[in-house]
Amino acid sequence: MSFTAPLTTPGLALDPHWHRRAVFYEVMVRSFMDSNGDGIGDLAGLISKLDYLQWLGVDALWLPPFFESPLRDGGYDVADYTAVLPEFGTIEQFRELVTKAHERNMRIVIDLVINHTSDQHPWFQASREDPQGPYGDYYVWSDTDEKYQDVRIIFVDTEESNWAFDPVRRQFYWHRFFSHQPDLNFENPKVHDEIFDVVRFWADLGVDGFRLDAIPYLYESDGGTGESEPPTHAFIAKLRAMIDEEYPGRILIAEANQWPHEVVEFFGTDEQPECHMAFDFPVMPRIFYALRSQQATELERQLSEEVHAPEGSAWGVFLRNHDELTLEMVSEEYRQAMYGWYAYDPRMRANVGIRRRLAPLLDNARSELELAHALLFSLPGSPFLYYGDEIGMGDNIWLPDRDSSRTPMQWTPDRNAGFSTADPGKLYLPVVQSLVYHYNQINVESQLAQSRSLLHWVRNVIHVRKAHPTFGLGTMRVLRTDNESVLAFVREYAGTGTHLGDSAERILCVFSFAHNPVSVTITAEGLEGAGLHDLFGGAPFPPVGDDGRLTLTLGSQSFFWLGADAAR
Ligand code: BGC
């Protein structure tokens, strides 16, 4: 490691654990704010809203692809990895975004979509036209579409095969996603070099991390599933080694829609570390299942499963993102139940999931929105918010595919919800004007004006979380309860004493999914005799009994975060 290499991006305080404390916010450049009236969100617009994000308490932005692209998959079809799509702005504006974010102690994480490119990428054009040329081997070509038959199809709504025939080269090419997204050939070392150069390009511009899109799918083999094959892990370990060597302090986040014991492999080992973070896919649908079934059992089982995220790494927890709410990680029985509750109109479904936003999923019920967020902010890992969910934005299921929940951010009750001054017909997608979620009612300005709005509530809960490093750094222990509707766990942190407020702490978190008030007795092992106080208002609660038992009553769909004092 070079002695001159900074341990973090310039201008930011050194904190090797920043990703474990951070509140992340996913924001699509196209959807947030249009600065020049062309109907499309852009980097300058996003820059103009950094004060809002700072006020909300956001520590890091995750930007889905904003690169040159035909936009046939929301930008996940990249045509040039190092160019900004002109309607979004310029590299100079991106640099300005990084600087202005860093000035606010906010980090920038970008998407690295390396499993595939757009078929418009010059590499693919060269590859199909000149099989013997320098790019001939950049993609996975075959004379037959019979290979790798054990590999599942991901976009089941649109694709029938992972192979597509190219009439120019007169061969089949491999694609795990849309057929206009050919997979790169990672067997080719030149592809590795290209990707490393892309990473260096953005790291040199100051980005603080990369979300590794669709990362399990890099390699496929005869008889394999095409997911998490050993060379895929070897490649990530090589990428991590380069980051640690050349850009220490920057992070890698794995997007692997798999079970925790599989996802955990993306953290790597002590000898061969891979990612700093990985999204926790299985826990998310179980939150939604608990809300409707009024049963905490399945969520509890999932959380109790011993999954070791190695020292220094973190899960990324989320309720919604720019994709469908995936139901791949639940059993068929649960999936059908969830379709019945949350996607009763077939139009609400996409692939193996549900293409709706958080507020409509929860039928705009304030108690459920609060309960879901309370879980998001207290489960082990760092929370990822999806833009607009902090104001309870609605969706538009009449739009195709996942565009249903990618509509313009609603800032004001004015034209185009304050997102753009363009002619409304010119917007990249229409603003939501449905009965319940019309931008007249659901917008930042009006929620700022109401002290009890969802926006103020979310901001408050973020700040309470941030005042307690235990939520980011501590362990979790699920506790036994005598009520199936109630989930209880304790977050514990030994403290290092090195940061302000970084002292030993225990927090008892209790959630009731019942649709009516309940009473519950919790066996709070390890907290025998501890005094309790509410983390929001500070009010004292009855202490835990000397036998470790604690009886509480909870209103319908409600929760407590209780700080536990030392035993009396
Ligand atoms: C992204 C999707 C995208 C897919 C193909 C995913 O994992 O989140 O939005 O369609 O990768 O790139």
Side-chain angles (χ1 to χ4, degrees), residues 84-100:
V84 173
L85 188 68
E87 51 251 53
F88 292 170
T90 62
I91 288 287
E92 266 324 301
Q93 284 170 329
F94 181 78
R95 199 192 296 275
E96 186 186 339
L97 172 72
V98 172
T99 306
K100 296 246 161 91

Side-chain angles (χ1 to χ4, degrees), residues 33-52:
M33 185 65 198
D34 169 17
S35 73
N36 59 0
D38 67 354
I40 302 167
D42 46 42
L43 290 169
L46 175 55
I47 293 169
S48 74
K49 294 297 182 186
L50 286 175
D51 285 342
Y52 164 77

